[in-house]
Every structure is written in C-alpha cells, then in structure tokens.
Amino acid sequence: MEADETRLPFDAQEYAAAAYAQGKSLTDMQTELSEQLQSVRRSLYSLINERYQDFLGLGTSLSGLDTSIASLREPLTEIKGEIQSAHLELQTELDHLDSRLAYRTQLREKKQMLRLFLDLGQLLERASMILQEAKATTEQTDYIKCLERAAVDLSQIRYFAKKGEGLPFVVNAQPRIEQVEQSLLDALEQFLSSCAKRYVELATASKAEEVDMYEMARNIAQSLRAYSAVEETDKAELILRSSMVQPFAKRIFGSQPGRGMGLDPAKFSDMLQQVLQFVKAVGVPLIRDIEAHMSASSGSTGYHFATHVFWQEIATSMMDSLPLVFVPGMPARFHKNYQTACSFVSAFGDVFSLADDAFKDGVSEYEVLALDPTFIEFHRKWQLLAYFSIQKKLIVGALEDSNFKDIHEATPGLENGQNDVSRPQTPSMSSKLTKPNRDKLEPIKRENGLLTEQAAQALWAVSRCWSRDVYLVPLAANFWQLTVQVLLWYQHSVEKRIQQLIQAQIADSETDQLLQHIHDTYAVNAAVFKQIRTICQLIPIASAHDSEGEKSMISSLGTAVTQALAPLEALVRKARDAIASTIVSQCTANLVSNLRRTTSQYRHTNRPPPTAASSFVSKLFTHMATMEIKIDSMESSNGSVDFGSTIKQIMRNRVAKDVSREFAKVCLETLVTLSKTEASLQRLRSKSRGAGARIDTGYAGDLPVPPGIDLRGKAPDTDNDKIRRQIWLDVVQLSQIISDYGVEPSDEFSSFAQLIHPFGK
C-alpha cells in the first residue's frame, strides 16, 4: 500500500478485511502501516510549519478558562438547591390533596350506598304494592300491565342487589327480594300458561274469532315483554312449549301402540301432516300477532318460537313416544318413514319462513333450527348405517358367486360403517338368486340388451342401490361404495368365466359365450356411465345446478368406474384373441389340402390355363362371416351399445392378417416344392443327354420364382406355370376380399404378393 495521508480517519477493520481479501501477509501489512505512519507524521510536521503562529497560540487562547467556569458554577448550585426545596413543598401539597380526595371518595361511596339502600327499599315496596294491585284487579289487560311494571322494577332490584352484593342491608333484603321475584314469576307463569292454552283453543276451534285471538296474542306478547325484562326468556319459551305444544304432541305421538315398531308409513305421514296443520293454525298466526304487538326495541330479542317452542317439543315427543320408528327392522317402512320425516322437517322450516324476521337476532330461524341440539339428535336418532347394512345384505345376497368371499375378507370395513370410497371393498357373494329376483332380471336384460346373467345381476344391483325405494341422501357415499363393489364382483365373475372358456377346448358354443361376455362388458360399461348422470342428480353436492361441479363429479365417478372395470379390458382383448385364433384355425384348416388339389388339377392333365381363382378362396372367410352374423344379432338387441362395429373391425383385422399370413406361408411352400421338382427333373434330363451338357441353373434351387420366368402377357405352357398362374389368381382374389373387408393383409402376404407378381397376366 502506498503511503496516503488522505486516508484519514483510518479504519482498522476495513483495512484488515481488504488485506485479507488480497491475501497479504502480516509482514506486508506491517510494512504498509509503517509507511503510512511516516507519511502522516510528515504531513503533521508540514502543517505545523505552515501554520506555526496558530500552533503557538493554542496554549494562550485557553488562559482564564478555569476562572470563568468557577464563576458559573456558584449560581447554578444555588438554583439547584431552590429547585429541590420547591419539589419537597409540592410533594407535601400533593399528599395532602390525595388524602382529601380519598376522604371525598369515601363520602361519595357512602352516599351511593345510602341512595342504593333507599332506592332498593323503594323498589321493593313499589313492586310489592304493584303485585298486590295485580291481585286485586279483574281485567286481564290491567293485570298483565301490573305484572309488566313489576317486572321492570324487579329488573332494577336485581341490578341494585348485584351492585351492593355483600353489603349488610342487601343481605338482609335478600329474602324479600326472593319473595317478590317468586311471586312475580308465579303470576307470570300462571297468566302466560292460561293465555297460551286459550289461544290454542281459539286457533283450533271450528269458528275462531280473530279479534279474540288478537287480544289473547297481545296478552301473550306483554307477558313475553315482562319475561324479557327480567331476562327469563327461556322460562317463557318453556311455558309456551308445555302449555301449547306438549298436550297436542302427546295426543298425536303418545297414543301409538308398540312405540313405533313397524309403524305404517301412511299413518306416520298422516301424523306429521296433523302436526303441520297444528303449526300452521297455531304457530304462524301466534308469531304474526306477537310481532304486531312487540317492536324490535322492546326487548323481544332472544325468542325463537319455531325452534325452542314448537320444534323441540314435537321432536322430543316423537323420539320419546316412537323410539322404534328410528330402527330399520323393516327397511321398506323405515325408508318411507325417513323420507316422510325429512319432508316434514323441510315443510316445517317453510311454514315459519314468513314469520321469523322479528326474532332472529341477526341469525335466521333456519340456522337456529340447524344448530339446535334437539334437531341434531333427531337426525342422529335414525339408524341409517344399520339400514344400509340391511340393504347391502339384501342386494349382495341376490348376487351369486361364492368364490368371491375370499376377496371380500381381504378388504373388510363396510360392515363397520366406514366410508372409505378411495379403497372399495368387495362384498361376499355367497347367496343364490331366488326365483322372484331371477324374474326381475329379464326386464333388465331386455332394456340393456344383455345376454349373460352376470351382467344382468350387476346392473340390477347397481340400479337397486340408487332406486327411489332404497337410496337415502345421507348414505350417498355408502351406496356409491357398494356400487363400486358390485362392479368389482362383476369384473371378477366375468374374469373367472372367460378364463374357464379360454382354457377349455374352444368350440362354437364356447365362442358364442365369449362373444356374449364381450358384448355385455360393453353394455354394462355404457349402462353404468348412463347411470352416473342419475347418480349425480341424487348426490347433494350436485343438486345446486352447478354445471361445473356436476361435470367434475361425473368425471370423478367415471374414473372410479373405469378403474373398477379396468381389468376387464385386458381380459376382453384376451377373449377376442381366443375367438380370432379359433376362426383363423377354422379358416385355414383345409388350406394345405386345397393347394394340393390345385397342384393335382394341372399335373399331367392337359387342362387349359386357369382364368379365375380357386373356389375355396372365396370361402376362406366363411367362419368369419358366420361370426359377424352373430355379432350383428347381438348388436341389434341393443343399438345404443357400440359393440358390433368395434368388435368386427378388430376381429377382421386380426383374422385377415393371420389368414393371409398362413395363406402366404402355404403358397410359398408349394412354390418352393414346385421349383425343387423342376430342378430335379432338369438334372435328370441333363444326365440322359450326356455329361458334357450344360445345366440351366435358372431352374435350380428352392426359389419360389425361378430367375428368368415371367408369365405376364402370355399364356402358361407348362403344368408348373399353370400352377403358378393359379396361385397368383388366388392371391389376387384373397387380396380383393381382404380389401373389401376394409382391413390390410399381413406384411408377409404383401411381400409374397409382390414376389409372385411375374406370374400375373
């Protein structure tokens, strides 16, 4: 580092960091710092020499400074002492003021306690007088007004008693306070109960006077205001519940024998209709009339009549009097009763939707009802999982495949009510279909064009899961899980049967059965995907008319179905291959003998050259045509399933390739044999002519088309050439047949056709 006096002030940390970054040693740093120190010293000496007079005046300019400082210190010390004295005096005054203020506070509290004592005594005295006045009056209007005034006083009495809690005079006044409170509450209860009962009588009478109902509702409203003033709204609702709703609910539900066991759905529906009529006749006008008498600012908040008065009593009476209606001993009746109960709950909410605005406290009556413990318990009371277990046994019991029990035991869980739809378990299928259930399969077969019993059973079980007399909305996940299980059963059942048919010596009957199973896999897949749209309409999340949500659900359910039936795809391909192999074997069974017959036709017979293909060529695909007729008959049974065109195209392609490949192979062997025979005959002729004769090697070897032979444009003149021309005509005819099928021949056949092109016309 070069000496630089401008690097002041000097930052040691910055210098050390820079030196470290540059990789300098301590010796280099010491040398640089020494040079910098010398540079600074030289700069200092130069500055002193330039301003020497100022340097000498540094000492003289500070003379007398001590004296000036001493003269300033004395007055400052005096000021400090005065400030400390003033602080002490002020602190003394503050302490005195605090003590006087504390004394004044005590006086104010004593004055307040005295006022409290006087006010409490006056309120107790006035409340007692009002209650005595109420006892003396004979008019209901005056009576409830007195009780309402007493309720306002009782509210203030409670306030003062709480404020003076623990004070001797409040403790002494407590018995009297309790006496006034009990007298008021007893009077209010008696009055509200009598008014409520009278209101029910008027509302349910054949000829009810609206004026009388309106006046009675006014009395009830004033009673409710009184209860609201003393913060006893719960008691008011309980009185209305026991006086208005309880007698009716006990009469409707309590008179049923057997505690609801096997309750007839029609009778249950009639009972709930009576309840709705009662609610419409009593509850709706009551709330409307009370709303007319009570303003939003009169302390009416906190009342929820629909839930706390009517619903709680109706639901409690139903659960207590008909506990067995919630048990699915008879699943058909349980299903109808549950649906009826759900409709009743919905109708109950609709009945009160027009009369709940004045009492909702910012929360709708529907929300209050949904959060009510009785409402929650009512829905939990229905034993839905037990019902699903029964329906599952009925559905599963109608399917027959006892071998499926092992798979079911490996994936348990649904019997315990689990809803893990991501891992569908497989039900036990050990039961046999009864005769009535077998009769139910025929319409399903006709409707969906099914040919096998397994497919009909599977679709019957799927449709049964979502039928109106079985399906329940809360069990959507369970029934979907069972649907996937049924599809797994079908997949296993078909797989087992197809494996048996493939392993057996395939004949026409087995081929027909394989075709039937292949057809039904297409039909079942199409029918289930069609059913998915119906399922999405039944599941609650898809009931909000949300097109995007419905599309997403259809896609998800479709994916689950595809996964359940995915193993069938490979199995169907295997079955198609087995059928195709059978057809190929049947088509090529006589191919060698037919070609031998062609050879014998022109060997030493002096027949004219061939002009058309052999008759057997046009019959090569007879078995395939027969199979297509069967496929067309299957497709005609259900035109909605795209089975025929698909399976025929696949089968044609496979059969055409295999048959053409075999045909080319046999023809090639025939031509090679023909060439070898010609080569042998030529050698024999050459030997008879002498050893020096030249052999025409163009006919020697095993070439199917010997070099130098080209029959195009001329008629064959030898037997072998006639045979070659016949084979060429057969190849052309077969190529045309395959082209008419709309498929391509095998590569071997195409190569062979190109190879024998010189034999053509």
Side-chain angles (χ1 to χ4, degrees), residues 25-254:
S25 63
L26 294 176
T27 304
D28 295 337
M29 294 171 61
Q30 181 181 12
T31 303
E32 288 182 358
L33 291 174
S34 298
E35 293 175 357
Q36 181 69 15
L37 178 61
Q38 293 300 326
S39 176
V40 172
R41 284 178 178 175
R42 286 193 298 271
S43 298
L44 179 60
Y45 294 154
S46 176
L47 181 62
I48 292 174
N49 290 333
E50 290 176 1
R51 304 179 62 181
Y52 186 70
Q53 292 297 329
D54 295 337
F55 177 71
L56 294 177
L58 288 175
T60 58
S61 61
L62 297 177
S63 62
L65 182 61
D66 294 340
T67 305
S68 299
I69 292 175
S71 62
L72 291 174
R73 182 182 290 112
E74 184 176 353
L76 291 175
T77 304
E78 293 178 358
I79 293 173
K80 179 180 179 182
E82 292 175 359
I83 291 173
Q84 290 178 348
S85 300
H87 181 270
L88 291 175
E89 292 177 0
L90 290 174
Q91 187 63 42
T92 303
E93 290 295 330
L94 287 173
D95 293 341
H96 180 65
L97 288 174
D98 288 341
S99 62
R100 295 185 65 183
L101 288 173
Y103 177 71
R104 185 175 181 179
T105 301
Q106 292 177 0
L107 292 178
R108 185 182 294 110
E109 290 178 355
K110 291 180 180 180
K111 182 179 179 180
Q112 290 177 350
M113 292 301 103
L114 181 60
R115 173 64 63 185
L116 179 63
F117 175 74
L118 295 175
D119 291 343
L120 184 59
Q122 291 175 0
L123 288 171
L124 284 172
E125 187 66 26
R126 188 170 66 185
S128 299
M129 293 177 61
I130 292 174
L131 291 175
Q132 292 297 328
E133 180 183 350
K135 291 181 180 180
T137 185
T138 57
E139 293 292 332
Q140 285 188 342
T141 304
D142 296 335
Y143 182 77
I144 188 57
K145 287 182 178 179
C146 291
L147 295 183
E148 191 172 0
R149 287 162 48 202
V152 175
D153 288 346
L154 179 60
S155 176
Q156 295 181 3
I157 290 171
R158 287 178 172 178
Y159 169 76
F160 288 131
K162 185 176 181 181
K163 190 174 182 180
E165 186 176 5
L167 296 176
F169 70 90
V170 174
V171 175
N172 294 332
Q174 193 63 38
R176 191 177 179 187
I177 294 174
E178 294 176 355
Q179 181 182 2
V180 171
E181 179 178 353
Q182 190 61 41
S183 299
L184 174 62
L185 293 178
D186 290 344
L188 282 173
E189 179 179 357
Q190 183 178 1
F191 182 79
L192 179 59
S193 178
S194 62
C195 290
K197 292 178 181 179
R198 179 57 182 164
Y199 187 89
V200 173
E201 293 175 359
L202 293 173
T204 55
S206 57
K207 295 182 179 180
E209 294 292 338
E210 293 186 1
V211 176
D212 294 339
M213 291 181 61
Y214 187 80
E215 292 296 327
M216 199 58 58
R218 182 184 61 186
N219 293 337
I220 294 175
Q222 289 178 309
S223 300
L224 294 176
R225 282 203 300 265
Y227 272 106
S228 181
V230 296
E231 298 180 354
E232 296 287 353
T233 56
D234 292 343
K235 287 186 178 180
E237 291 175 340
L238 185 61
I239 293 170
L240 289 176
R241 173 179 164 180
S242 60
S243 302
M244 301 180 73
V245 188
Q246 191 178 79
F248 172 81
K250 286 186 176 180
R251 178 169 57 85
I252 294 297
F253 299 118

Side-chain angles (χ1 to χ4, degrees), residues 705-714 725 757-760:
V705 182
I709 289 186
D710 193 345
L711 301 180
R712 290 174 292 180
K714 60 181 180 180
R725 174 62 62 84
H757 184 63
F759 299 154

Side-chain angles (χ1 to χ4, degrees), residues 418-436:
Q418 298 176 5
N419 293 332
D420 184 11
V421 295
S422 63
R423 259 195 59 197
Q425 296 85 31
T426 309
S428 176
M429 309 295 181
S430 57
S431 302
K432 298 293 182 182
L433 278 172
T434 60
K435 185 63 170 62

Side-chain angles (χ1 to χ4, degrees), residues 276 279-280 284 287 306 311 342-356 365-366 369 375:
L276 284 177
V279 169
K280 291 178 182 178
V284 174
I287 296 177
W311 168 258
C342 291
S343 300
F344 165 75
V345 172
S346 178
F348 181 89
D350 293 339
V351 165
F352 285 102
S353 62
L354 301 178
D356 62 353
E365 193 70 26
Y366 285 110
L369 179 63
F375 182 83

Side-chain angles (χ1 to χ4, degrees), residues 3 102 324 368 379 438 498 538 549 661 743:
L324 297 181
V368 176
H379 283 278
R438 290 186 183 276
I498 290 179
L538 296 175
R661 183 183 297 108
V743 293

Side-chain angles (χ1 to χ4, degrees), residues 301-558:
T301 57
Y303 287 110
H304 297 283
F305 296 106
T307 301
H308 297 163
V309 176
F310 288 92
W311 168 258
Q312 286 186 356
E313 184 58 40
I314 292 170
T316 301
S317 297
M318 191 186 306
M319 289 187 288
D320 292 343
S321 302
L322 306 173
L324 297 181
V325 78
F326 302 92
V327 179
M330 299 180 180
R333 292 193 174 190
F334 176 88
H335 180 275
K336 292 181 180 179
N337 288 337
Y338 178 79
Q339 296 282 52
T340 301
C342 291
S343 300
F344 165 75
V345 172
S346 178
F348 181 89
D350 293 339
V351 165
F352 285 102
S353 62
L354 301 178
D356 62 353
D357 293 336
F359 308 100
K360 60 185 181 182
D361 280 342
V363 181
S364 70
E365 193 70 26
Y366 285 110
E367 292 178 291
V368 176
L369 179 63
L371 297 175
D372 183 69
T374 308
F375 182 83
I376 297 173
E377 178 63 23
F378 176 79
H379 283 278
R380 288 179 177 174
K381 193 82 172 176
W382 294 93
Q383 298 182 18
L384 296 178
L385 289 179
Y387 166 79
F388 172 75
S389 179
I390 294 174
Q391 289 293 357
K392 177 188 172 183
K393 290 179 180 178
L394 292 175
I395 294 172
V396 170
L399 301 175
E400 53 177 354
D401 190 349
S402 59
N403 294 330
F404 214 59
K405 185 175 181 181
D406 298 335
I407 297 180
H408 168 63
E409 292 174 350
T411 56
L414 192 57
E415 269 69 12
N416 299 327
Q418 298 176 5
N419 293 332
D420 184 11
V421 295
S422 63
R423 259 195 59 197
Q425 296 85 31
T426 309
S428 176
M429 309 295 181
S430 57
S431 302
K432 298 293 182 182
L433 278 172
T434 60
K435 185 63 170 62
N437 284 338
R438 290 186 183 276
D439 295 338
K440 293 179 181 178
L441 297 181
E442 293 304 321
I444 296 177
K445 284 186 176 181
R446 290 193 300 269
E447 179 182 354
N448 298 278
L450 301 177
L451 305 173
T452 62
E453 190 171 273
Q454 291 95 327
Q457 292 172 13
L459 288 188
W460 173 84
V462 171
S463 61
R464 188 63 181 162
C465 289
W466 304 98
S467 60
R468 294 183 177 274
D469 57 339
V470 172
Y471 170 74
L472 292 176
V473 172
L475 297 173
N478 302 75
F479 279 110
W480 173 247
Q481 188 180 38
L482 182 56
T483 299
V484 176
Q485 288 180 294
V486 170
L487 296 179
L488 290 175
W489 167 83
Y490 173 69
Q491 176 260 320
H492 174 84
S493 177
V494 173
E495 179 181 10
K496 181 180 177 181
R497 181 56 183 158
I498 290 179
Q499 291 285 12
Q500 291 174 349
L501 293 172
I502 292 176
Q503 292 173 2
Q505 186 69 28
I506 294 183
D508 289 340
S509 59
E510 284 79 7
T511 302
D512 292 346
Q513 292 183 43
L514 283 175
L515 272 178
Q516 291 174 359
H517 284 294
I518 294 174
H519 169 272
D520 282 1
T521 56
Y522 283 87
V524 168
N525 191 69
V528 172
F529 272 93
K530 182 179 178 181
Q531 182 77 17
I532 284 176
R533 294 191 174 274
T534 304
I535 293 173
C536 289
Q537 296 174 359
L538 296 175
I539 296 177
I541 193 173
S543 301
H545 306 289
D546 183 1
S547 59
E548 293 299 326
E550 185 173 354
K551 289 180 181 178
S552 177
M553 177 169 290
I554 291 175
S555 176
S556 299
L557 298 184

Side-chain angles (χ1 to χ4, degrees), residues 672 675-677 679 683 697 699-703:
V672 169
S675 297
K676 289 181 178 180
T677 302
R683 283 195 293 270
T697 56
Y699 286 92
D702 56 356
L703 296 176

